[in-house]
Amino acid sequence: MLSQKMKDALNEQILMEAQSSQAYLAMGSWSEIQPGLKGVTKFFFRHSDEERMHMLKLIHYVNERGGFAMIPALEQPVMTFVSLKSAFEQLLKHEIRVSESINNLVEIALSEKDYATHNFLQWYVMEQMEEERLARECNDKLEMIGEDKSGLYLFDRDVMTLDQE
């Protein structure tokens, strides 16, 4: 059984994962109407789907452990960006906040000696390490490219392969 504190914290994480999915969905919609960003659009839409799966995994875990996963209402995400670089900067900031939240969950699990939840959360710890690495790598590449159109073209072409490295 999950403690009330852990249930509340996991339900907050469900909200965060749902907001992540919505934010990446909005980024995908924005990039889809920008000229020449087909790869970036696929990247954002795919990551929106992944965040939804992270949310569903948490929902199932809470329910299986005797809790009740709450399905949250969501705020409207940011819909437009001044540049591709600013969208990826927001992505990195968001992933850092998610990592901090996961770390908080781990801290609660350890303080309550809830080793089952601690074990469950290890997947999220590793996933966040990968997500932050990918976001930093994208930001580094966009910083290097600057406003170079040929560099942006190559970034768009290659962005889908970045998380496979």
Side-chain angles (χ1 to χ4, degrees), residues 43-154:
F43 174 89
F44 284 136
F45 284 150
R46 186 177 83 216
H47 280 274
S48 175
D49 288 345
E50 285 179 11
E51 297 301 328
R52 184 174 182 279
M53 295 310 296
H54 297 171
M55 178 190 65
L56 286 172
K57 188 173 180 169
L58 283 162
I59 288 169
H60 295 309
Y61 181 78
V62 170
N63 288 337
E64 288 169 3
R65 292 289 315 279
F68 178 51
M70 304 303 293
I71 307 306
L74 301 176
E75 294 179 17
Q76 178 72 45
V78 174
M79 295 295 299
T80 60
F81 303 89
V82 296
S83 66
L84 183 60
K85 187 174 184 308
S86 71
F88 275 93
E89 286 169 351
Q90 289 301 311
L91 182 142
L92 176 58
K93 288 177 187 175
H94 188 79
E95 289 299 343
I96 289 169
R97 281 194 304 273
V98 172
S99 293
E100 291 168 353
S101 182
I102 295 294
N103 290 339
N104 183 57
L105 287 171
V106 170
E107 185 176 322
I108 293 169
L110 288 174
S111 72
E112 295 191 349
K113 297 184 179 181
D114 181 350
Y115 300 114
T117 300
H118 176 265
N119 186 54
F120 170 77
L121 291 170
Q122 293 312 297
W123 182 87
Y124 286 90
V125 170
M126 295 303 295
E127 180 68 14
Q128 280 311 118
M129 287 172 58
E130 292 173 22
E131 296 288 345
E132 280 191 47
R133 178 203 52 81
L134 176 60
R136 281 191 177 87
E137 186 175 340
C138 288
N139 277 277
D140 289 347
K141 287 182 183 296
L142 288 168
E143 182 68 32
M144 191 176 7
I145 291 166
E147 295 300 316
D148 178 53
K149 300 288 187 207
S150 61
L152 289 173
Y153 171 81
L154 293 173

